[in-house]
């Protein structure tokens, strides 16, 4: 089962394949920052420290939001949209 670790609190949750990073935060007991929950506001952007290859590919809408907020899509994802497919993922919440 995939695992997501959330920094800086260093809590980990197992998630079912296809669950979002936001869901992983909920399962880990971490209050994640999120606004719209539908890939439009960008408030839930996180830094992917490890395991980007274990996430579903970034879609065009998410890419547009990340770029509009000055986030590098090679290093950042939106927690409400990014889906965990397999393996281990480590993310850091942004301030």
């Amino acid at each position: 089962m995939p695992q997501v670790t959330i920094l800086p609190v260093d809590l980990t949750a197992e998630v079912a394949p296809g669950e979002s990073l936001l869901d992983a935060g909920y399962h880990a007991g971490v209050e994640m920052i999120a606004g719209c929950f539908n890939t439009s506001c960008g408030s839930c952007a996180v830094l992917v420290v490890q395991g980007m290859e274990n996430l579903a590919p970034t879609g065009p809408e998410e890419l547009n939001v990340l770029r509009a907020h000055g986030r590098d899509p090679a290093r950042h994802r939106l927690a409400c949209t990014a889906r965990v497919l397999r393996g281990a993922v480590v993310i850091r919440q942004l301030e």
Side-chain angles (χ1 to χ4, degrees):
M1 189 170 283
Q3 289 188 328
V4 177
T5 300
I6 300 144
L7 302 176
V9 294
D10 201 25
L11 291 173
T12 301
E14 287 190 350
V15 297
E19 286 198 70
S20 72
L21 293 174
L22 198 58
D23 291 333
Y26 173 79
H27 292 305
V30 177
E31 189 173 328
M32 303 279 289
I33 298 167
C36 67
F37 301 95
N38 68 4
T39 318
S40 62
C41 75
S43 67
C44 65
V46 295
L47 174 67
V48 180
V49 176
Q50 179 182 333
M52 183 70 86
E53 69 279 3
N54 294 327
L55 299 174
T58 310
E61 189 176 358
E62 183 181 6
L63 284 171
N64 289 338
V65 172
L66 288 169
R67 290 179 179 141
H69 291 277
R71 305 283 185 201
D72 178 3
R75 299 181 56 218
H76 297 90
R77 294 296 303 266
L78 297 180
C80 71
T81 303
R83 305 282 171 194
V84 183
L85 299 178
R86 65 189 159 271
V89 178
V90 179
I91 62 171
R92 179 176 296 278
Q93 291 194 90
L94 303 174
E95 296 179 10

